[in-house]
Amino acid sequence: MVQFHCLNPIAACGLELFPDTYEKTDDFNAAEVALVRSAAMHDMELPKPLLAVARAGAGVNNIPLDKCAEQGIVVFNTPGANANGVKELVIAGMLLASRDITGGIDWVKENKEDAGIAKAAEKAKKAFAGTEIKGKKLGVIGLGAIGVQVANAAVALGMDVLGYDPYLSVNAAWNVSTKVKHVLAVEDIYKECDFITIHVPLLDSTKGMISKEAIAMMKENVIVLNFARDTLVDEAAMVEALKAGKVRKYVVDFPNPTTAGVENCIVIPHLGASTAESEDNCAVMAVQEVIDYIENGNITHSVNYPDCNMGVCTGAARIAILHKNIKNMIGQYSSVLGEAGVNIADMTNKSRNDYAYSLLDLDASATADVVEKLAAIDGVLKVRVIK
Protein backbone atom coordinates (compact mmCIF):
# COMPACT_ATOMS: atom_id res chain seq x y z
CA MET A 1 0.00 0.00 0.00
CA VAL A 2 1.46 3.36 -1.08
CA GLN A 3 1.04 6.03 1.58
CA PHE A 4 0.31 9.61 0.48
CA HIS A 5 0.01 12.76 2.59
CA CYS A 6 -1.58 16.12 1.80
CA LEU A 7 0.28 19.09 3.27
CA ASN A 8 -2.58 21.33 2.07
CA PRO A 9 -6.18 20.57 1.11
CA ILE A 10 -6.17 18.97 -2.34
CA ALA A 11 -9.30 18.84 -4.52
CA ALA A 12 -11.20 15.58 -4.14
CA CYS A 13 -11.46 15.08 -7.90
CA GLY A 14 -7.69 14.55 -7.89
CA LEU A 15 -7.44 12.33 -4.83
CA GLU A 16 -10.21 10.12 -6.19
CA LEU A 17 -7.88 9.10 -9.04
CA PHE A 18 -5.63 7.18 -6.66
CA PRO A 19 -6.29 3.43 -7.03
CA ASP A 20 -7.09 1.19 -4.08
CA THR A 21 -3.41 0.42 -3.64
CA TYR A 22 -2.89 3.98 -2.34
CA GLU A 23 -3.86 5.11 1.14
CA LYS A 24 -4.04 8.60 2.62
CA THR A 25 -2.06 9.05 5.84
CA ASP A 26 -2.08 11.89 8.35
CA ASP A 27 1.51 11.04 9.26
CA PHE A 28 3.89 12.92 6.98
CA ASN A 29 6.81 10.82 8.24
CA ALA A 30 5.20 7.69 6.80
CA ALA A 31 4.46 9.19 3.39
CA GLU A 32 5.95 7.97 0.12
CA VAL A 33 4.11 10.73 -1.78
CA ALA A 34 3.42 14.28 -0.59
CA LEU A 35 0.93 16.62 -2.25
CA VAL A 36 1.35 20.32 -1.54
CA ARG A 37 0.08 23.72 -2.58
CA SER A 38 1.48 26.59 -0.50
CA ALA A 39 2.85 24.87 2.63
CA ALA A 40 6.45 25.91 3.36
CA MET A 41 8.65 22.81 3.21
CA HIS A 42 12.14 24.31 3.51
CA ASP A 43 12.43 23.72 7.26
CA MET A 44 10.73 20.33 7.23
CA GLU A 45 12.62 17.12 7.88
CA LEU A 46 11.96 15.02 4.79
CA PRO A 47 10.78 11.48 5.60
CA LYS A 48 13.06 8.62 4.62
CA PRO A 49 10.26 6.80 2.71
CA LEU A 50 9.43 9.90 0.62
CA LEU A 51 9.75 9.26 -3.12
CA ALA A 52 7.88 12.17 -4.69
CA VAL A 53 6.49 15.63 -3.94
CA ALA A 54 3.78 16.98 -6.24
CA ARG A 55 3.01 20.70 -6.19
CA ALA A 56 -0.59 21.35 -7.23
CA GLY A 57 0.40 24.53 -9.05
CA ALA A 58 3.32 25.93 -11.00
CA GLY A 59 5.50 27.80 -8.48
CA VAL A 60 7.83 25.69 -6.35
CA ASN A 61 9.67 28.30 -4.27
CA ASN A 62 8.11 26.74 -1.13
CA ILE A 63 9.88 23.42 -1.79
CA PRO A 64 13.61 22.70 -1.15
CA LEU A 65 14.41 21.41 -4.64
CA ASP A 66 18.11 20.70 -4.15
CA LYS A 67 17.53 19.03 -0.80
CA CYS A 68 14.91 16.78 -2.40
CA ALA A 69 17.14 15.99 -5.37
CA GLU A 70 20.04 15.05 -3.09
CA GLN A 71 17.77 12.58 -1.30
CA GLY A 72 16.42 11.09 -4.52
CA ILE A 73 13.00 12.72 -4.15
CA VAL A 74 11.42 13.81 -7.44
CA VAL A 75 9.51 17.10 -7.28
CA PHE A 76 6.67 17.62 -9.75
CA ASN A 77 4.60 20.68 -10.60
CA THR A 78 1.55 21.22 -12.80
CA PRO A 79 2.39 23.81 -15.46
CA GLY A 80 -0.57 25.01 -17.46
CA ALA A 81 -3.23 23.47 -15.21
CA ASN A 82 -4.11 26.87 -13.75
CA ALA A 83 -3.15 28.95 -16.81
CA ASN A 84 -6.66 29.89 -17.87
CA GLY A 85 -7.63 31.17 -14.42
CA VAL A 86 -4.54 33.39 -14.26
CA LYS A 87 -4.99 34.54 -17.85
CA GLU A 88 -8.54 35.70 -17.18
CA LEU A 89 -7.43 37.68 -14.12
CA VAL A 90 -4.59 39.32 -16.08
CA ILE A 91 -7.09 40.48 -18.69
CA ALA A 92 -9.33 41.75 -15.89
CA GLY A 93 -6.32 43.54 -14.41
CA MET A 94 -5.64 45.33 -17.68
CA LEU A 95 -9.26 46.48 -17.85
CA LEU A 96 -9.26 47.60 -14.21
CA ALA A 97 -6.12 49.63 -14.81
CA SER A 98 -7.08 51.19 -18.14
CA ARG A 99 -10.60 52.15 -17.00
CA ASP A 100 -10.84 53.30 -13.39
CA ILE A 101 -13.62 50.82 -12.71
CA THR A 102 -12.88 50.43 -8.98
CA GLY A 103 -12.74 54.21 -8.55
CA GLY A 104 -16.11 54.53 -10.24
CA ILE A 105 -17.65 51.80 -8.11
CA ASP A 106 -16.30 53.46 -4.94
CA TRP A 107 -17.83 56.79 -6.07
CA VAL A 108 -21.23 55.12 -6.43
CA LYS A 109 -20.95 53.62 -2.91
CA GLU A 110 -19.97 56.99 -1.47
CA ASN A 111 -22.95 58.70 -3.13
CA LYS A 112 -25.54 55.98 -2.57
CA GLU A 113 -27.77 58.30 -0.46
CA ASP A 114 -27.93 60.96 -3.19
CA ALA A 115 -31.39 60.92 -4.79
CA GLY A 116 -29.89 62.61 -7.86
CA ILE A 117 -27.06 60.10 -8.21
CA ALA A 118 -27.88 59.28 -11.84
CA LYS A 119 -27.53 62.92 -12.89
CA ALA A 120 -24.44 63.42 -10.71
CA ALA A 121 -22.83 60.35 -12.27
CA GLU A 122 -22.94 61.97 -15.70
CA LYS A 123 -20.70 64.73 -14.41
CA ALA A 124 -18.47 62.55 -12.22
CA LYS A 125 -17.77 59.75 -14.70
CA LYS A 126 -15.15 61.69 -16.63
CA ALA A 127 -12.74 61.10 -13.77
CA PHE A 128 -13.10 57.34 -14.19
CA ALA A 129 -13.50 57.00 -17.96
CA GLY A 130 -9.95 55.90 -18.77
CA THR A 131 -8.82 54.46 -22.08
CA GLU A 132 -9.45 51.36 -24.16
CA ILE A 133 -6.93 48.53 -24.52
CA LYS A 134 -7.64 47.86 -28.20
CA GLY A 135 -4.78 49.16 -30.33
CA LYS A 136 -2.43 49.47 -27.36
CA LYS A 137 0.90 47.66 -27.20
CA LEU A 138 1.26 44.84 -24.67
CA GLY A 139 4.61 43.34 -23.71
CA VAL A 140 4.52 39.78 -22.34
CA ILE A 141 7.71 38.78 -20.49
CA GLY A 142 7.78 34.98 -20.35
CA LEU A 143 5.93 32.85 -22.88
CA GLY A 144 5.21 29.80 -20.78
CA ALA A 145 1.76 28.27 -20.36
CA ILE A 146 0.26 31.45 -18.85
CA GLY A 147 2.18 33.97 -20.94
CA VAL A 148 1.12 32.32 -24.20
CA GLN A 149 -2.55 32.37 -23.20
CA VAL A 150 -2.33 36.03 -22.15
CA ALA A 151 -0.61 36.96 -25.42
CA ASN A 152 -3.19 35.12 -27.52
CA ALA A 153 -6.12 36.63 -25.60
CA ALA A 154 -4.67 40.12 -26.01
CA VAL A 155 -4.31 39.58 -29.77
CA ALA A 156 -7.99 38.58 -29.88
CA LEU A 157 -8.83 41.83 -28.07
CA GLY A 158 -7.09 43.85 -30.76
CA MET A 159 -3.85 44.60 -28.95
CA ASP A 160 -0.43 44.76 -30.59
CA VAL A 161 1.53 42.11 -28.65
CA LEU A 162 5.28 41.75 -28.16
CA GLY A 163 6.62 38.62 -26.48
CA TYR A 164 10.01 38.06 -24.86
CA ASP A 165 11.32 34.66 -23.78
CA PRO A 166 14.93 33.57 -24.38
CA TYR A 167 13.97 30.01 -23.39
CA LEU A 168 10.88 29.70 -25.59
CA SER A 169 9.90 26.03 -25.75
CA VAL A 170 8.86 24.25 -28.92
CA ASN A 171 5.40 23.67 -27.42
CA ALA A 172 4.97 27.37 -26.63
CA ALA A 173 6.20 28.33 -30.08
CA TRP A 174 3.52 26.13 -31.64
CA ASN A 175 0.77 27.54 -29.42
CA VAL A 176 1.49 31.26 -29.50
CA SER A 177 -0.33 33.33 -32.12
CA THR A 178 1.62 34.21 -35.24
CA LYS A 179 0.52 37.79 -34.61
CA VAL A 180 2.70 37.98 -31.50
CA LYS A 181 6.01 39.65 -32.32
CA HIS A 182 8.89 37.81 -30.65
CA VAL A 183 11.57 40.26 -29.51
CA LEU A 184 15.11 39.25 -28.57
CA ALA A 185 15.77 41.87 -25.91
CA VAL A 186 13.60 42.57 -22.88
CA GLU A 187 14.59 46.23 -23.18
CA ASP A 188 12.41 46.41 -26.30
CA ILE A 189 9.42 45.53 -24.10
CA TYR A 190 10.34 48.22 -21.58
CA LYS A 191 10.80 50.94 -24.20
CA GLU A 192 7.87 50.25 -26.53
CA CYS A 193 4.88 48.93 -24.58
CA ASP A 194 1.88 50.62 -23.02
CA PHE A 195 1.17 47.55 -20.88
CA ILE A 196 3.78 45.14 -19.49
CA THR A 197 2.89 41.80 -17.89
CA ILE A 198 5.45 39.46 -16.36
CA HIS A 199 5.15 35.64 -16.38
CA VAL A 200 8.51 34.17 -15.40
CA PRO A 201 9.51 31.87 -12.52
CA LEU A 202 11.19 33.33 -9.45
CA LEU A 203 14.90 32.53 -9.76
CA ASP A 204 18.05 34.26 -8.62
CA SER A 205 18.37 35.58 -12.18
CA THR A 206 14.82 36.99 -12.29
CA LYS A 207 14.43 38.34 -8.76
CA GLY A 208 13.95 42.11 -8.96
CA MET A 209 14.23 42.09 -12.75
CA ILE A 210 11.68 44.92 -12.94
CA SER A 211 14.20 47.24 -11.33
CA LYS A 212 14.50 50.99 -10.97
CA GLU A 213 16.62 50.94 -14.13
CA ALA A 214 14.05 48.87 -16.03
CA ILE A 215 11.25 51.22 -14.96
CA ALA A 216 13.29 54.21 -16.13
CA MET A 217 13.31 52.72 -19.65
CA MET A 218 9.53 52.39 -19.76
CA LYS A 219 7.11 54.74 -21.50
CA GLU A 220 5.35 57.46 -19.54
CA ASN A 221 2.02 56.28 -18.10
CA VAL A 222 2.88 52.59 -18.59
CA ILE A 223 0.71 50.01 -16.85
CA VAL A 224 2.62 47.12 -15.23
CA LEU A 225 0.96 43.83 -14.25
CA ASN A 226 2.51 41.21 -11.97
CA PHE A 227 0.66 37.94 -11.50
CA ALA A 228 3.82 35.83 -11.17
CA ARG A 229 5.66 36.72 -7.91
CA ASP A 230 5.88 40.04 -6.07
CA THR A 231 9.67 39.83 -5.67
CA LEU A 232 10.17 39.85 -9.43
CA VAL A 233 9.55 43.59 -9.11
CA ASP A 234 11.48 46.11 -7.04
CA GLU A 235 8.26 47.31 -5.47
CA ALA A 236 9.84 50.21 -3.58
CA ALA A 237 11.04 51.57 -6.93
CA MET A 238 7.60 50.85 -8.40
CA VAL A 239 5.88 52.89 -5.67
CA GLU A 240 8.27 55.77 -6.34
CA ALA A 241 7.44 55.58 -10.06
CA LEU A 242 3.72 55.64 -9.30
CA LYS A 243 4.07 58.71 -7.09
CA ALA A 244 6.16 60.43 -9.76
CA GLY A 245 3.56 59.68 -12.43
CA LYS A 246 5.97 57.59 -14.51
CA VAL A 247 3.84 54.46 -14.04
CA ARG A 248 0.10 54.92 -14.44
CA LYS A 249 -1.00 51.78 -12.59
CA TYR A 250 0.66 48.76 -10.98
CA VAL A 251 -1.58 45.68 -10.80
CA VAL A 252 -0.26 42.96 -8.52
CA ASP A 253 -1.74 39.72 -7.15
CA PHE A 254 0.45 39.58 -4.03
CA PRO A 255 -0.52 41.84 -1.12
CA ASN A 256 2.27 43.16 1.09
CA PRO A 257 2.88 46.31 3.17
CA THR A 258 4.87 47.96 0.37
CA THR A 259 1.97 48.15 -2.08
CA ALA A 260 -1.22 47.69 -0.05
CA GLY A 261 -3.23 50.90 -0.04
CA VAL A 262 -0.81 52.83 -2.28
CA GLU A 263 -2.54 55.16 -4.72
CA ASN A 264 -2.66 53.74 -8.25
CA CYS A 265 -1.68 50.27 -6.99
CA ILE A 266 -4.40 47.74 -7.70
CA VAL A 267 -3.59 44.98 -5.23
CA ILE A 268 -5.51 41.71 -5.58
CA PRO A 269 -5.48 39.12 -2.75
CA HIS A 270 -3.66 36.33 -4.65
CA LEU A 271 -6.66 35.20 -6.66
CA GLY A 272 -4.83 34.24 -9.87
CA ALA A 273 -5.06 30.46 -9.68
CA SER A 274 -7.68 30.26 -6.94
CA THR A 275 -10.64 29.33 -9.10
CA ALA A 276 -12.40 26.04 -8.44
CA GLU A 277 -11.52 24.93 -11.96
CA SER A 278 -7.80 25.69 -11.52
CA GLU A 279 -7.60 23.86 -8.21
CA ASP A 280 -9.34 20.84 -9.73
CA ASN A 281 -7.06 20.84 -12.79
CA CYS A 282 -3.93 21.10 -10.65
CA ALA A 283 -5.03 18.30 -8.33
CA VAL A 284 -5.81 15.97 -11.23
CA MET A 285 -2.49 16.63 -12.98
CA ALA A 286 -0.46 16.27 -9.78
CA VAL A 287 -2.03 12.91 -8.92
CA GLN A 288 -1.62 11.61 -12.47
CA GLU A 289 2.07 12.56 -12.44
CA VAL A 290 2.86 10.78 -9.19
CA ILE A 291 0.89 7.66 -10.13
CA ASP A 292 2.84 7.36 -13.39
CA TYR A 293 6.08 7.80 -11.48
CA ILE A 294 5.28 5.30 -8.74
CA GLU A 295 3.76 2.69 -11.08
CA ASN A 296 5.99 3.04 -14.17
CA GLY A 297 8.98 5.13 -13.13
CA ASN A 298 8.11 7.80 -15.70
CA ILE A 299 8.86 11.44 -14.87
CA THR A 300 6.73 14.22 -16.37
CA HIS A 301 6.96 17.88 -15.30
CA SER A 302 9.67 17.46 -12.70
CA VAL A 303 11.51 20.59 -11.58
CA ASN A 304 14.59 18.92 -10.07
CA TYR A 305 15.08 15.80 -12.23
CA PRO A 306 14.89 15.34 -16.01
CA ASP A 307 11.67 14.24 -17.66
CA CYS A 308 11.91 10.61 -18.75
CA ASN A 309 9.29 8.26 -20.18
CA MET A 310 9.48 4.61 -21.22
CA GLY A 311 5.76 3.93 -21.09
CA VAL A 312 4.46 0.85 -19.29
CA CYS A 313 6.96 -1.94 -18.70
CA THR A 314 6.06 -5.02 -20.73
CA GLY A 315 9.25 -6.94 -19.93
CA ALA A 316 10.24 -9.02 -16.94
CA ALA A 317 11.43 -6.17 -14.75
CA ARG A 318 12.16 -2.45 -14.51
CA ILE A 319 14.41 -0.53 -12.15
CA ALA A 320 14.80 3.23 -11.73
CA ILE A 321 18.03 4.85 -10.58
CA LEU A 322 18.34 8.46 -9.43
CA HIS A 323 21.96 9.54 -9.46
CA LYS A 324 24.46 12.34 -9.81
CA ASN A 325 25.18 13.49 -13.35
CA ILE A 326 28.73 12.13 -13.51
CA LYS A 327 30.60 9.99 -16.02
CA ASN A 328 30.61 6.18 -16.28
CA MET A 329 27.41 5.60 -14.28
CA ILE A 330 25.79 3.55 -17.05
CA GLY A 331 28.93 1.45 -17.43
CA GLN A 332 28.90 0.62 -13.73
CA TYR A 333 25.22 -0.37 -13.84
CA SER A 334 25.91 -2.63 -16.81
CA SER A 335 28.80 -4.27 -15.00
CA VAL A 336 26.76 -5.03 -11.88
CA LEU A 337 23.89 -6.48 -13.91
CA GLY A 338 26.21 -8.37 -16.23
CA GLU A 339 28.01 -10.02 -13.32
CA ALA A 340 24.61 -11.14 -12.02
CA GLY A 341 23.70 -12.57 -15.42
CA VAL A 342 20.89 -10.04 -15.96
CA ASN A 343 20.48 -8.62 -19.47
CA ILE A 344 19.35 -5.03 -20.09
CA ALA A 345 16.53 -5.27 -22.64
CA ASP A 346 15.97 -1.52 -22.95
CA MET A 347 17.06 1.61 -21.16
CA THR A 348 17.07 5.39 -21.17
CA ASN A 349 19.21 7.91 -19.33
CA LYS A 350 18.44 11.61 -18.98
CA SER A 351 20.26 14.37 -17.14
CA ARG A 352 19.40 17.78 -15.76
CA ASN A 353 22.17 19.95 -14.34
CA ASP A 354 23.77 18.04 -11.43
CA TYR A 355 21.30 15.15 -11.43
CA ALA A 356 20.37 12.31 -13.75
CA TYR A 357 17.84 9.52 -14.03
CA SER A 358 18.08 6.06 -15.58
CA LEU A 359 15.29 3.60 -16.37
CA LEU A 360 16.34 0.05 -17.16
CA ASP A 361 14.06 -2.71 -18.43
CA LEU A 362 15.54 -6.13 -17.67
CA ASP A 363 15.05 -9.66 -18.99
CA ALA A 364 15.00 -10.99 -15.43
CA SER A 365 14.13 -9.60 -12.02
CA ALA A 366 16.83 -7.77 -10.08
CA THR A 367 17.59 -9.56 -6.82
CA ALA A 368 17.96 -7.75 -3.52
CA ASP A 369 21.71 -8.31 -3.79
CA VAL A 370 21.83 -6.64 -7.23
CA VAL A 371 19.79 -3.67 -5.99
CA GLU A 372 22.11 -3.32 -2.99
CA LYS A 373 25.19 -3.30 -5.25
CA LEU A 374 23.64 -0.69 -7.53
CA ALA A 375 22.74 1.49 -4.56
CA ALA A 376 26.33 1.23 -3.28
CA ILE A 377 27.80 2.79 -6.44
CA ASP A 378 29.30 6.21 -5.70
CA GLY A 379 26.93 8.88 -7.02
CA VAL A 380 23.76 6.79 -6.79
CA LEU A 381 21.11 8.50 -4.65
CA LYS A 382 18.25 6.01 -4.84
CA VAL A 383 17.40 2.75 -6.55
CA ARG A 384 13.78 1.77 -6.97
CA VAL A 385 12.37 -1.53 -8.21
CA ILE A 386 9.35 -0.65 -10.36
CA LYS A 387 8.53 -4.20 -11.44
Side-chain angles (χ1 to χ4, degrees):
M1 192 73 73
V2 178
Q3 303 287 311
F4 70 90
H5 178 79
C6 299
L7 290 165
N8 296 106
I10 303 295
C13 62
L15 300 183
E16 289 168 357
L17 297 177
F18 279 121
D20 294 340
T21 50
Y22 290 70
E23 181 179 59
K24 186 176 182 180
T25 177
D26 292 330
D27 182 7
F28 177 53
N29 291 319
E32 295 159 89
V33 171
L35 299 167
V36 62
R37 290 171 60 199
S38 59
M41 296 185 66
H42 285 278
D43 296 329
M44 291 182 179
E45 188 71 28
L46 300 176
K48 191 171 182 180
L50 193 62
L51 302 174
V53 174
R55 162 76 164 97
V60 290
N61 55 305
N62 58 319
I63 303 170
L65 302 183
D66 289 339
K67 182 179 176 181
C68 287
E70 191 64 33
Q71 296 184 33
I73 299 166
V74 180
V75 180
F76 298 87
N77 70 345
T78 58
N82 58 12
N84 186 70
V86 179
K87 174 207 75 178
E88 290 185 0
L89 198 61
V90 172
I91 299 300
M94 286 199 289
L95 295 169
L96 288 169
S98 58
R99 310 280 293 274
D100 190 7
I101 298 169
T102 54
I105 292 171
D106 289 342
W107 180 90
V108 172
K109 289 179 180 178
E110 291 165 4
N111 291 273
K112 63 182 180 180
E113 305 297 336
D114 183 357
I117 189 171
K119 186 175 180 180
E122 292 304 312
K123 294 181 179 179
K125 69 180 183 181
K126 290 181 181 179
F128 314 114
T131 56
E132 298 179 13
I133 64 174
K134 183 178 180 180
K136 303 300 189 299
K137 191 169 286 187
L138 169 68
V140 181
I141 302 174
L143 291 170
I146 296 170
V148 165
Q149 288 203 28
V150 170
N152 291 348
V155 167
L157 290 169
M159 301 187 80
D160 183 10
V161 183
L162 277 63
Y164 169 77
D165 193 332
Y167 308 105
L168 184 66
S169 70
V170 173
N171 186 56
W174 275 106
N175 288 320
V176 72
S177 169
T178 56
K179 293 182 179 180
V180 174
K181 180 184 176 184
H182 188 213
V183 297
L184 300 179
V186 71
E187 290 79 10
D188 292 339
I189 299 281
Y190 298 150
K191 294 174 183 177
E192 296 184 31
C193 293
D194 306 296
F195 292 79
I196 297 173
T197 181
I198 184 167
H199 299 285
V200 299
L202 178 61
L203 306 169
D204 289 340
S205 59
T206 59
K207 188 174 182 180
M209 67 177 293
I210 306 297
S211 61
K212 185 175 183 177
E213 293 73 21
I215 294 169
M217 288 185 236
M218 296 178 187
K219 295 174 68 173
E220 295 294 321
N221 292 316
V222 65
I223 291 171
V224 180
L225 303 105
N226 179 9
F227 288 80
R229 285 290 181 270
D230 53 353
T231 48
L232 294 168
V233 175
D234 180 345
E235 293 195 324
M238 181 60 70
V239 170
E240 286 182 16
L242 286 165
K243 291 178 179 178
K246 169 74 174 185
V247 176
R248 179 174 158 193
K249 299 281 186 180
Y250 176 52
V251 188
V252 60
D253 198 27
F254 306 96
N256 63 50
T258 303
T259 54
V262 172
E263 187 177 3
N264 293 321
C265 263
I266 300 174
V267 184
I268 300 169
H270 202 190
L271 299 181
S274 296
T275 65
E277 293 88 348
S278 287
E279 291 182 8
D280 287 353
N281 292 340
C282 288
V284 167
M285 185 183 289
V287 170
Q288 289 173 335
E289 288 167 353
V290 295
I291 290 175
D292 194 24
Y293 177 63
I294 297 298
E295 303 295 326
N296 303 308
N298 298 322
I299 296 179
T300 305
H301 297 145
S302 173
V303 291
N304 64 344
Y305 274 95
D307 282 5
C308 182
N309 194 314
M310 285 183 63
V312 176
C313 179
T314 57
R318 174 176 289 181
I319 57 173
I321 308 176
L322 299 108
H323 56 96
K324 291 291 186 67
N325 184 21
I326 53 181
K327 63 183 180 181
N328 197 35
M329 298 303 288
I330 303 302
Q332 294 183 78
Y333 304 154
S334 299
S335 295
V336 169
L337 292 165
E339 289 171 4
V342 178
N343 182 54
I344 300 175
D346 193 10
M347 70 165 293
T348 187
N349 169 260
K350 302 288 184 181
S351 64
R352 177 175 185 164
N353 299 323
D354 294 333
Y355 300 96
Y357 185 63
S358 298
L359 274 179
L360 293 82
D361 282 359
L362 311 175
D363 284 342
S365 296
T367 64
D369 182 59
V370 167
V371 172
E372 186 176 338
K373 287 180 179 178
L374 289 170
I377 294 172
D378 188 35
V380 169
L381 301 170
K382 186 169 288 184
V383 179
R384 202 159 63 87
V385 177
I386 306 297
K387 179 180 177 182

